Each structure stands twice: as structure tokens, then as C-alpha cells.
Amino acid sequence: VILMQIKGKNIFNLLFLACACMGWNGVDINAYHNLPTMECMTKTSQFIVIRAYESQGQVNFFAKKNLENAKKAGFQYISIYMSPCPYESASAQAQELVNAVRGYDYEMIWIEIQEGSNWNARRSVNRQFVEELVDELENLGQAVGFFTNHVAWEAVMRNNYDNYKHYPLWSKYRFRDPGFTPFAGWTRSHAIQYEIGTNLCNGIVNL
């Protein structure tokens, strides 16, 4: 299991989803899953990542209930991820998300960078947005990582932009290719999403 110190935070976070060093497994979800389903998932998965913010610029409707069920089900580590809306205020979205999940247990917030998700055609604008988002999340006391891959990062940010090379990277699924291509200063992925749309315990998840 990979443990790393988040830059600027005196905390450690256990990173998940097929960690290569010990083979620990996890799931990520973007829809509602009830408690019995999550309890079943804990038999094979130690971690869960819950989508908590949508690219339309709003909190995921099921985020809080999924966080509640994940805690009750007994997942060892719980994190959330956000798909930000690039055309709305980054700071406002960070505040909205953190306020919405205040009081729920989770380890960190992953920022999804996905090509084709309404990002600006000018990468400099996207970089400014992401910098504002990260700064505000950290000002709010959140540990931050990135959920992306080299193709998406190049399209949105450009691969020679390495300001976040010391932040955790969760490598996004791409064409059933579990390999890792170094980019943006990252020489390894702390976690890998290797399959999407899988049925687990009568719930649809990503692995």
C-alpha cells in the first residue's frame, strides 16, 4: 500500500485502486449505492472513491448518502472526486463542495481532468482555473490529488506543465491499457483505474 505525505499537510493518505505494491483494491462510483451493496463491496475492496461534484457545476445529488453508506459499510478509506465546471468560479465550486460534505468522513478530494469536458480551448485559461481550484481547496484544509491521464492532461493543461508533480496521481482508465506513460513530472501513478462499468454486488462501479 502506498503512503505519501501530501505537500503542505501533516497527514498521510492511503492511496487505492489496484496499488501495485500490495494489490489492494478499490472502487469508484458516480451513482447511488445502498448499504447492502456497499457492505458486499467491502469483501473485495478496501477503498471507495465517491463522485461528489458534477461538471455541470453542482454537488452530486447522492454524494452525502453514498458517503454515509460507505462509512457504515466499513470501507477502510473513503475519498471523493470532483468533475469541475471550467466556466464557473473555481473558488465557489471548491467552497460549495466542501460545505456540502462537511461532517462526513473522507480522506481527500481528487480533481478529475478529462478531455472534452467543456474545458477552454486555451490551456493557459484552464491552468489558471485549476490553480485557483487547488488553492481554494487547500485553503479550506483539503488534501488534493488528480484523476487524469497523459492524453487528458495534454489536451487540457499540456504535458510540460508540471506544477503538481508532487501531488498524488490517480491514473484514469484509457482503452483497457493498464500501463503508465510518464507526463507532467509524474514518473509513476499512485493508483490506477483499470476497468469501467463493471457490475459488482448488483451495483455498477469502476475498478
Side-chain angles (χ1 to χ4, degrees):
V1 177
I2 297 173
L3 289 169
M4 70 176 295
Q5 190 170 20
I6 304 302
K7 183 179 180 182
K9 308 291 181 185
N10 188 25
I11 58 174
F12 286 83
N13 290 280
L14 188 60
L15 303 180
F16 45 90
L17 297 179
C19 281
C21 52
M22 288 185 68
W24 285 44
N25 296 308
V27 297
D28 70 87
I29 62 173
N30 54 31
Y32 173 70
H33 289 71
N34 61 31
L35 180 56
T37 295
M38 288 200 185
E39 288 174 335
C40 174
M41 290 177 182
T42 61
K43 296 176 181 177
T44 56
S45 302
Q46 293 79 33
F47 316 104
I48 188 168
V49 193
I50 296 166
R51 186 170 188 168
Y53 202 86
E54 305 283 352
S55 59
Q56 295 86 355
Q58 61 190 26
V59 175
N60 182 288
F61 183 78
F62 300 113
K64 290 189 280 190
K65 189 61 179 177
N66 280 332
L67 281 165
E68 179 183 329
N69 286 343
K71 178 69 174 179
K72 290 179 179 178
F75 279 100
Q76 296 179 42
Y77 287 85
I78 302 167
S79 293
I80 61 177
Y81 76 97
M82 69 179 302
S83 304
C85 177
Y87 292 100
E88 302 290 342
S89 165
S91 295
Q93 291 178 72
Q95 293 165 14
E96 182 183 16
L97 172 58
V98 172
N99 286 336
V101 297
R102 194 179 306 278
Y104 291 86
D105 290 334
Y106 61 92
E107 295 295 314
M108 64 187 301
I109 297 176
W110 299 91
I111 299 172
E112 181 178 29
I113 306 293
Q114 171 65 41
E115 74 271 29
S117 298
N118 298 319
W119 291 95
N120 198 290
R122 295 168 56 197
R123 293 184 181 94
S124 61
V125 174
N126 296 331
R127 292 194 290 267
Q128 184 177 1
F129 173 88
V130 170
E131 288 166 4
E132 180 184 338
L133 181 61
V134 172
D135 287 348
E136 186 62 24
L137 287 171
E138 292 187 332
N139 287 339
L140 293 168
Q142 306 300 300
V144 175
F146 287 92
F147 176 33
T148 187
N149 58 40
H150 67 286
V151 174
W153 195 265
E154 171 64 21
V156 176
M157 307 286 281
R158 192 173 289 282
N159 280 338
N160 62 2
Y161 177 76
D162 64 356
N163 286 28
Y164 298 109
K165 62 185 177 182
H166 298 301
Y167 283 64
L169 171 66
W170 169 18
S171 187
K172 193 172 181 65
Y173 168 89
R174 182 166 177 79
F175 304 131
R176 294 186 178 275
D177 179 10
F180 174 72
T181 299
F183 67 99
W186 282 300
T187 58
R188 66 189 176 103
S189 177
H190 300 86
I192 297 173
Q193 180 191 62
Y194 62 89
E195 192 167 347
I196 60 175
T198 296
N199 188 304
L200 179 66
C201 299
N202 295 315
I204 302 300
V205 304
N206 302 321
L207 302 173

